[in-house]
Amino acid sequence: MMADSVFNEHAHKALAASYPALPAHLSHSLASHPLLDMEALAGLATRMRPETLEHNAAVDLPLGISNADTPVNGLSVHDTIARIDECGSWVLLKSIEQDPSYASLMRDVLAEIAPLIEQVTGPMLRMEGFIFISSPHAVTPLHFDPEYNILFQARGSKTMNLFPVADPDIIGQQFFEQYFAGGPRNLPWQEEWAARANPISIVPGEAIYVPLLAPHWVQTHDQVSVSLSLTWRSEWSFHHADACRFNRRLRRLGVSPRPTAIYPVNNKIKSYCQRALTRLGG
């Protein structure tokens, strides 16, 4: 168990004021945690299941590049980590809770904020951890995530450019429907959207709460960056996902369904219909 709090009182208040629909700039005490230094992360990568390791070239990427067009870097994931300061790449360690030490870290951090989260969106479900190791000037293209997320900066610095939750101009209903049916999460980009972004820059000891369904893109600064991302889902988020799947069914039948609702309005009727059809094998 962690002896000290990860978040100070100001961070708790900032998260409480923003959750769940608005981003928050927070402070934390994890920057010098031994599990987040480069030697520990290189060791973690050797213990992880191969399918939970992802890496690619990441410098000078277009913001609207598709998942399929993201370039490889010609290196193994382990060589990419070893050469991260020079290889212009990005490494993602997914589902770090598969390792007992990192699972314990994740549980301890999220337990600290669980009372705050649960009084708003209910129990924290499907908690997962991810670590990003990025070269200087690496770009993560425009995308959205289906989870609530706190991104903790441990080394280097980066700027996240956030857009409003489910911004209808950027992320239309049919994109949600395709994503929850197994489609990609990267979004197309239009330059006129740039002025609508809310840029938040973080250095070690700072974090960003990223709302569920908020489009965003990220760029690291002049140094190697290490970030820890801890995510969770809620009952509302699962109902939203299933309602998107049900809308896709309706659209394939020639019906133009009403868009799924955004929190706090629920999507339970469509969600339960989708779940019933799934159980029936439809």
Side-chain angles (χ1 to χ4, degrees), residues 249-271:
R249 286 178 183 268
L250 295 178
R251 202 176 300 279
R252 292 168 67 183
L253 294 172
V255 178
S256 296
R258 293 182 62 182
T260 48
I262 298 303
Y263 187 87
V265 180
N266 71 60
N267 297 280
K268 289 183 178 180
I269 294 176
K270 288 182 177 179
S271 173

Side-chain angles (χ1 to χ4, degrees), residues 90-101:
W90 171 91
V91 175
L92 173 59
L93 309 181
K94 300 187 288 187
S95 301
I96 60 171
E97 66 278 3
Q98 66 190 268
D99 183 277
S101 295

Side-chain angles (χ1 to χ4, degrees), residues 7 16 31 38 44 65 74 91 101 130 138 168 198 206 210 220 262 266 268:
F7 301 102
M38 289 299 294
L44 172 63
I65 193 170
V91 175
S101 295
F130 306 82
N198 173 17
E206 295 181 337
V210 184
T220 60
I262 298 303
N266 71 60
K268 289 183 178 180

Side-chain angles (χ1 to χ4, degrees), residues 71-153:
V72 299
N73 66 5
L75 301 171
S76 71
V77 66
H78 305 291
D79 287 341
T80 300
I81 293 173
R83 297 173 54 186
I84 197 67
D85 59 333
E86 63 179 15
C87 66
S89 298
W90 171 91
V91 175
L92 173 59
L93 309 181
K94 300 187 288 187
S95 301
I96 60 171
E97 66 278 3
Q98 66 190 268
D99 183 277
S101 295
Y102 289 85
S104 178
L105 174 63
M106 180 189 74
R107 288 194 300 267
D108 288 347
V109 173
L110 293 182
E112 184 177 327
I113 60 170
L116 181 160
I117 299 303
E118 291 176 356
Q119 69 181 353
V120 180
T121 56
M124 300 174 81
L125 307 174
R126 195 179 292 178
M127 294 177 286
E128 296 180 284
F130 306 82
I131 292 175
F132 301 88
I133 308 169
S134 308
S135 297
H137 309 295
V139 172
T140 303
L142 185 68
H143 67 287
F144 88 100
D145 297 311
E147 310 97 356
Y148 310 90
N149 173 26
I150 298 181
L151 184 74
F152 300 82
Q153 194 66 10

Side-chain angles (χ1 to χ4, degrees), residues 212-247:
L212 175 83
L213 311 183
H216 56 281
W217 68 273
V218 185
Q219 184 165 34
T220 60
H221 298 167
D222 295 334
Q223 300 174 321
V224 169
S225 169
V226 173
S227 306
L228 168 68
S229 175
L230 299 182
T231 72
W232 64 95
R233 300 285 297 272
S234 68
E235 181 186 24
W236 185 92
S237 76
F238 285 119
H239 281 305
H240 174 267
D242 279 329
C244 287
R245 296 183 182 104
F246 186 72
N247 271 3

